[in-house]
Amino acid sequence: MLIIPAIDIKDGKCVRLRQGRADEVSVYGDDPVATAQYWEQEGASYLHVVDLDGAFQGRPVHAELIGKIIKAVKIPVEAGGG
């Protein structure tokens, strides 16, 4: 089985939405780059990153931050949202 950790980004933070609602957010971390590095150190083979602000606005919002994540890890990063 392949488990791919996901980092959902909203307002520059790592979050989870309750039932996909943008107004019901739980923040799990302030540094998505550090979170990506954590998952890589834990043995993740891949990483999935979602630009939630981009998904809700219909255009990429956190492209620069996602670029920093890609540069900070050696594993493949899949991105979505926006």
Side-chain angles (χ1 to χ4, degrees):
M1 176 187 324
L2 177 64
I3 298 173
I4 302 174
I7 300 173
D8 294 348
I9 302 172
K10 184 171 184 339
D11 299 326
K13 301 180 187 303
C14 302
V15 304
R16 288 287 180 252
L17 303 182
R18 184 167 184 255
Q19 297 182 346
R21 295 177 49 113
D23 60 341
E24 294 195 35
V25 179
S26 295
V27 176
Y28 288 93
D30 292 327
D31 187 348
V33 174
T35 301
Q37 291 170 324
Y38 165 80
W39 284 120
E40 182 178 45
Q41 290 169 2
E42 287 296 306
S45 300
Y46 300 91
L47 187 63
H48 180 74
V49 178
V50 179
D51 179 348
L52 289 175
D53 293 309
F56 286 113
Q57 293 180 31
R59 60 174 180 76
V61 173
H62 296 293
E64 184 177 331
L65 178 54
I66 293 170
K68 288 178 183 178
I69 290 170
I70 291 167
K71 289 179 182 175
V73 298
K74 295 178 180 155
I75 59 176
V77 177
E78 174 185 64

